[in-house]
Amino acid sequence: MSYEEFYRRSIEQPEAFWAEQARAIHWHKPPERILDYDRPPFRRWFVGGETNLCYNSLDRHLEARGDQLALVAISSETGQTRELSYRELHREVNAFAAVLKSLDVVRGDRVVIYMPNMAEAVFAMLACARIGAVHSVVFGGFAAHNLALRIDDARPKLLICADAGMRGGKVIPYKPLVDAACAEAASPPPRVLVVNRGLDPALRLIAGRDLDYAGLRAQHAEATVEVEWLESNEPSYLLYTSGTTGKPKGVQRDVGGYAVALALSMWSIYDVRAGQVMFSTSDVGWAVGHSYNVYGPLIAGATSVLYEGLPTHPDPGIWWRICEQYGVRTMFSSPTGIRVLKKQDAAWLKAHDLSRLQWLFLAGEPLDEPTAHWITDGIDKPIIDNYWQTETGWPVLALMPGLDMRPIKFGSPGLPTPGYRLRVIDEATGRDVGANEKGVLVIVPPLPPGCMSTVWNDDARFLSSYFGHFKELLYSSLDWAIRDDDGYTFILGRTDDVINVAGHRLGTREIEESVASHPAVAEAAVIGVHDELKGQVPVVFATLKQAGDQDAARVAAGMRQCVVDQLGAVARPARVYVVAALPKTRSGKLLRRSIQALAESRDPGDLSTLDDPAALDEVQRALARGADA
Ligand code: ATP
Ligand code: MG
């Protein structure tokens, strides 16, 4: 079927379309009503249907593919690889679920999971899903304060953590962070379950609260735990957004709609079917990790590759070696990850046999054209940009090679995926803008299956954060976009990343793209800095592909010229700073608001999602030293 026909049907006959897609998963009890939209913008998909994410991920595949690999968990940090067949993964998840039950975790209870990309993190998630507990995975790199905030929002009955994670060969103890978070939290979990990999010799369990997983697992190793059948709209998990723009929101996901959306996306977008292999480099703590390291590939009966470690450790060929070794068909990563590799020798991209790799999908932030070209040339595979949000749980914009591949346009994540009625509208008037004109990207509700149901415990925040921006009831993505004559959408950055230069509104994103087109530049952040005369002026912070051996002043002047040539004198950067690193969130997104604060001699604000404090110091030093151009 053509993409147009498929997409049109999803929009014109949503109930018929989704009823059909729902057949891809197992229902213990079929839905009574496909869509309930009686209380806009809240909507419920597959009402009355009963299903379970764990059953669809594991039990359903045992007969046909029990001995096929379900999960490969590779750690370049510990040097260990674990390969689990569907049967073995089913056994581990049952044991884990039995342990949870023995700790009185029941349907509806929240369980916070604070672990790195290790197999037990997947067991824990699936075990929660099996018994109807609501997991909330918190990215293992977050500090104690972030964890405490999420604990107080989710109020878990149990917290599951690892003794430690590792990064670049260095052990990072997790348990002391958990202890500190529990001390800070107003409602700490009564119990903490520790999966000990023996990485932290100083690990200390607190009597009466902390439990060692290995001991409990031994008691339940052969257990089978019955699946808890959940109504399609019960919560399956909570996941907090990255916090790029402020206080993270607790995205609440349902069960049935999510499973159906993932099933559809696996074959049609990611082109992965039962028996094939998908490798996502995401962390289980992010939305991509939930959807395409855990539930998506397993619901599809595929093999999921999970990777703990840096893209450059033990060497910059590690990802491609994994692709070769496991015959990965589809790989999923982020522009940040590729930019890390871009600083390395491009020869690493050619060092392995990638004949079975079909597609590299990238998501999470704008994919600038130079990076897209660099990786396309390097591995000689189609690179598919796809755009989504933690809130949506699966792509909003993508190309769909599993259904009907359309031409790639560099710089665009492509076309709307099924069920997403998108508009690009004028920020002030709320009217649709014309082709090739810039506006805010909005989704016309009801949101399709897979998208968030609400903000956990806070319907009011759901309404005000997403639906309160226009007169009409529309979900605002809070991202700028333009749609070209062929219907391809380009994302131009976040609506709060706009600067006003002498009355001209400029997207920092467009200026960044232009700076990054300079051949020496690895990555750029552009911010608006207060200026007496013009209101705001663009200021550039950039890292170079080859640090050190370049004349910073010359390269900086070159960047400025790129902007003037491509966007005009109005966008001319007032100052250009060459830095060794840029401050990012733990999910790899530029923290422009903090850079801007420093550049305006203000307090950098909430730094709880900052990845590397040294990068902020680096910006501070550059400011003190003075601009390079
Ligand atoms: P918060 O909402 O807490 O501020 P966040 O928006 O960074 O954090 P995520 O849900 O992880 O949290 O990120 C979604 C955002 O990432 C999108 O709204 C968009 O700005 C950006 N994004 C994701 N994919 C793409 C893409 N392919 N192209 C451009 N931007 C993208
Ligand atoms: Mg967001």
Side-chain angles (χ1 to χ4, degrees), residues 512-535:
E512 278 165 14
E513 178 94 28
S514 167
V515 170
S517 71
H518 188 289
V521 172
E523 189 164 27
V526 172
I527 51 156
V529 173
H530 176 75
D531 180 84
E532 284 301 328
L533 215 59
K534 298 181 171 170

Side-chain angles (χ1 to χ4, degrees), residues 281-304:
T281 66
S282 176
D283 189 276
V284 288
W286 307 131
V288 178
H290 282 63
S291 294
Y292 299 108
N293 284 90
V294 183
Y295 295 114
L298 297 177
I299 286 173
T303 301
S304 173

